[in-house]
Each structure stands twice: as structure tokens, then as C-alpha cells.
Amino acid sequence: MDVRGKLALVTGGSDGIGREIALQLQAAGADVIVTGRSAAKLQAMAALGFGTIAGDLSTAAGVDAVVGGVAGKPLALLVNNAGVGSEYELDDVATLDSAAHCIRTNLDAPIALCTRLLPKLRAQPEAAIVNVTSGLAIAPRAGGSIYCATKAGLRSYTQAIRHLLKDSNVRVIEALPPVVETNMTAGRGGKKMSAHDCAAEIVHGIRTGKSEVNAGMVKMLQLVHSISPALARRIMIKF
């Protein structure tokens, strides 16, 4: 996909992987709008020439704000990147609210945005949807069961809509990052990929027409999983 002159929407684009994706798309010539929850971070992105939309994607109002923010605009690229972790514990009923918040943000919101923004994407000569999942969609960690479940659900959804849109002008891309150095993973040890390098692989995949972008160690994880799912899970637990 030639992103030059095209309008891209990057959810969660004011921080972490999303911010790097937005910066690199802009450097490649795209016009980029980012969404986020932090007024200060959105203001900083606006100062760099980005369009901004404030909205919490765990809420219906937040999704409405994003859809409304691109009304009348020639959207050609939707990057569903926004995501949150969960404090869910299997034996603690009090953590179900955290689980629900994670599901709404990581799974419900991307589905809603794909559906509600699809007419705009179809109206362009060339368009794409990028759903950012995770290596954890392939090999889940026991300590992050809800987060892993949302990413596995989004992976399945992405594969399904890719088939549904195979004869259209809308390409469907799945990006699978490994553990990346972001605010979300600040409390975790082990090897982490930089947000810049992860975004570079994702943007390269968009520009070169890939359907699936396995970033960093996920390339190896996919191979290992095809041979031994149990070993792949042990690798993810380690990292």
C-alpha cells in the first residue's frame, strides 16, 4: 500500500507502539489522526502535526467520538492498536470489572470500528485495516489470561474478515508484536523489543502488502508453535 497522501487513523496513537506507528506513517507521507485518553499526550501529538481525537475506547461514547472524529474524511487506513492489560484473577470476583474493561477495549472496540468505518474504507480506491494482536494470541501466558483471550479473539476475527473482504479494495492485516518496551510492560522483566523497531516492521508490512506481520521473536514463535504448541507457551512464559 502506498501510504503517501492517504489518511490513517491509529487508535492508541499517542503512546507506545501506536505513537511509533503514527510517527513512521507520517514520515512515509501519510496524513495521520491518532486517538488517546491523555489530553497532554494528545496535545503533544498535535504539536507534531497529527490530528487528534480524545476518547476512551472501553466506552460506547469513546467509540462514537472516534467515528465522529473522522466523519466526512477520506479514511484509507484503520490501525486498531489501542489496548489495555487486565488485573483479572481467576479466583477473585472483584477483578471481573477489570476483565470486562480489557475485553471492551481490546476486542469490542476494534470490532465496532471495523464495522462502522468499513463504508469509508470501501469508498477509497485502496484501503487497509490493521489489527494489532500479539504473540500471546498464539501462545498465551497464564498470568494474563484475559489479555491473551482478547488478542486471540481479535486474531480469529481478523482472519475471518480477511476472507470476507478478499474480493474488495480493503486489505486486512494482522500485526503480532512480541513483548515490547512500553508503559504497559514497564513492570515486566525479560527481553523486550523496542516500540520503534516493532512499529517499523508493522509499517513495512503495510507498505509491502503483507497479510500478517510477525514482529521480532514472534517469527520464531510461529515456527515453534507449528512444531510444539507446548514449547511455544513455555517461551512466552519466559519472555
Side-chain angles (χ1 to χ4, degrees):
M1 181 181 191
D2 185 354
V3 302
R4 290 174 298 177
K6 290 187 171 64
L7 179 63
L9 172 66
V10 182
T11 68
S14 63
D15 199 6
I17 300 171
R19 182 177 186 275
E20 288 294 334
I21 291 172
L23 288 168
Q24 293 180 37
L25 286 172
Q26 183 190 61
D31 296 319
V32 185
I33 298 172
V34 300
T35 80
R37 294 174 294 174
S38 166
K41 290 178 180 178
L42 288 175
Q43 186 176 7
M45 294 301 285
L48 295 174
F50 293 92
T52 63
I53 302 171
D56 180 350
L57 290 177
S58 72
T59 69
V63 174
D64 288 345
V66 173
V67 173
V70 294
K73 294 181 171 65
L75 184 66
L77 177 60
L78 168 63
V79 182
N80 282 310
N81 163 79
V84 297
S86 172
E87 297 177 357
Y88 170 78
E89 297 290 341
L90 178 60
D91 57 356
D92 186 354
V93 173
T95 62
L96 286 173
D97 285 344
S98 177
H101 180 262
C102 182
I103 293 166
R104 289 194 301 269
T105 305
N106 297 4
L107 183 58
D108 293 350
I111 291 172
L113 291 176
C114 284
T115 299
R116 294 178 64 177
L117 297 178
L118 182 60
K120 299 181 72 62
L121 296 169
R122 279 180 161 152
Q124 303 307 311
E126 182 183 30
I129 293 169
V130 181
N131 288 333
V132 180
T133 63
S134 170
L136 293 169
I138 302 167
R141 294 177 64 250
S145 56
I146 300 299
Y147 180 84
C148 296
T150 62
K151 294 303 184 178
L154 187 57
R155 174 171 169 78
S156 180
Y157 174 76
T158 303
Q159 292 172 344
I161 66 170
R162 181 183 298 126
H163 176 74
L164 293 173
L165 294 171
K166 62 183 175 64
D167 295 323
S168 77
N169 64 310
V170 182
R171 187 171 188 84
V172 179
I173 304 164
E174 180 184 6
L176 296 95
V179 180
V180 176
E181 185 68 59
T182 65
N183 289 332
M184 186 187 297
T185 65
R188 289 187 58 185
K191 185 178 180 181
K192 300 178 187 178
M193 189 178 194
S194 74
H196 177 275
D197 290 350
C198 181
E201 293 199 27
I202 293 171
V203 172
H204 178 73
I206 294 168
R207 298 178 70 186
T208 56
K210 290 187 177 180
S211 294
E212 189 169 291
V213 180
N214 296 300
M217 66 166 285
V218 178
K219 299 182 185 75
M220 178 268 289
L221 181 67
Q222 286 272 34
L223 176 61
V224 173
H225 189 268
S226 68
I227 300 169
S228 172
L231 178 57
R233 285 193 293 273
R234 287 199 294 274
I235 290 171
M236 290 309 293
I237 289 170
K238 179 179 179 181
F239 288 103

